[in-house]
Amino acid sequence: MTKKRIAIFASGSGSNAEKIAEHFATNPQVEISFILTNNPQAGVIARARRLHIPVVVFDRTTFYHSPRIIEFLQNQHIDLVVLAGFMMLIPEAMVQAFPNQIVNIHPALLPKYGGKGMYGHFVHEAVVAAQETESGITIHYVNEHYDEGAIIFQATCPVVSTDTPEDVAKKIQVLEHKHFPEVVEQLLNA
Ligand code: GRF
């Protein structure tokens, strides 16, 4: 069986990318082939270097107005595209080129607290402001709209009245780091 090849897109710190890479580090059937980012300052670049994963940095024009990223992923025989804190909308051409092969993690229980502008601390602030008693993570297929693809997996955590958005963020990150690698593995084995 040929090795499964994953490309991870990230715009920020990359803690999820690192957890996924660590999860597969001892699995000869799966390779994190590339980490791609739109942000030359992203913390994920340093993590990729430590993990000896090749990094591709691209800009908005390349991503939205050239076929280069799609062609790169196709030429590299990528089996699964994983968005892990990637802040850009996926162009329709890329969604079409990789049907049911692009997944994203969102730090809330979609369909609530999703969509444009709902990312990072904004999500947790909205959850706390709404006095929700639970939050969680959603892993979903990606389509051309923010956070609207078919849901693959959700996990929840309690939110108590004394929780700050930072408290919620910490609980969410524990769920992300635990479940995202496992769900990616299940998708590759499907
Ligand atoms: C996570 O909260 C994830 O749910 C969201 O972006 C954040 C990425 O965090 N999509 P990190 O860069 O993986 O640490």
Side-chain angles (χ1 to χ4, degrees):
M1 185 179 92
T2 53
K3 191 179 277 198
K4 295 285 189 180
R5 296 167 61 84
I6 296 173
I8 300 177
F9 283 66
S11 303
S13 166
S15 73
N16 279 283
E18 181 159 23
K19 290 297 178 189
I20 292 168
E22 286 172 349
H23 181 83
F24 291 110
T26 56
N27 182 338
Q29 297 306 319
V30 178
E31 172 186 280
I32 312 299
S33 304
F34 295 94
I35 287 180
L36 298 96
T37 185
N38 59 303
N39 176 5
Q41 313 304 325
V44 73
I45 294 174
R47 293 182 196 262
R49 295 264 189 267
R50 280 200 302 277
L51 292 160
H52 308 296
I53 299 172
V55 173
V56 172
V57 182
F58 59 84
D59 62 19
R60 180 171 287 275
T61 304
T62 302
F63 194 52
Y64 287 119
H65 301 295
S66 87
R68 284 175 53 205
I69 298 300
I70 294 173
E71 290 174 352
F72 174 80
L73 295 170
Q74 291 169 327
N75 295 341
Q76 291 296 330
H77 308 293
I78 296 300
D79 298 294
L80 186 67
V81 175
V82 175
L83 310 184
F86 185 62
M87 291 300 153
M88 298 172 79
L89 193 62
I90 302 301
E92 187 156 354
M94 184 166 153
V95 174
Q96 308 303 340
F98 290 90
N100 284 333
Q101 290 176 281
I102 309 176
V103 295
N104 181 49
I105 188 166
H106 184 74
L109 295 171
L110 295 177
K112 293 177 75 173
Y113 306 107
K116 193 166 172 52
M118 269 294 165
Y119 61 88
H121 65 88
F122 296 114
V123 174
H124 311 310
E125 283 164 11
V127 164
V128 168
Q131 298 179 320
E132 297 284 357
T133 56
E134 69 172 8
S135 189
I137 61 170
T138 302
I139 298 169
H140 63 94
Y141 287 110
V142 168
N143 64 23
E144 52 275 25
H145 306 289
Y146 278 117
D147 303 325
E148 285 187 12
I151 291 176
I152 298 166
F153 174 85
Q154 292 188 307
T156 65
C157 60
V159 178
V160 296
S161 57
T162 52
D163 276 338
T164 65
E166 292 69 31
D167 294 327
V168 177
K170 286 193 182 75
K171 295 181 193 180
I172 293 294
Q173 192 172 65
V174 168
L175 291 177
E176 293 178 339
H177 291 176
K178 172 175 173 22
H179 292 293
F180 205 8
E182 291 169 348
V183 170
V184 167
E185 182 165 6
Q186 285 156 19
L187 291 171
L188 291 174
N189 293 339

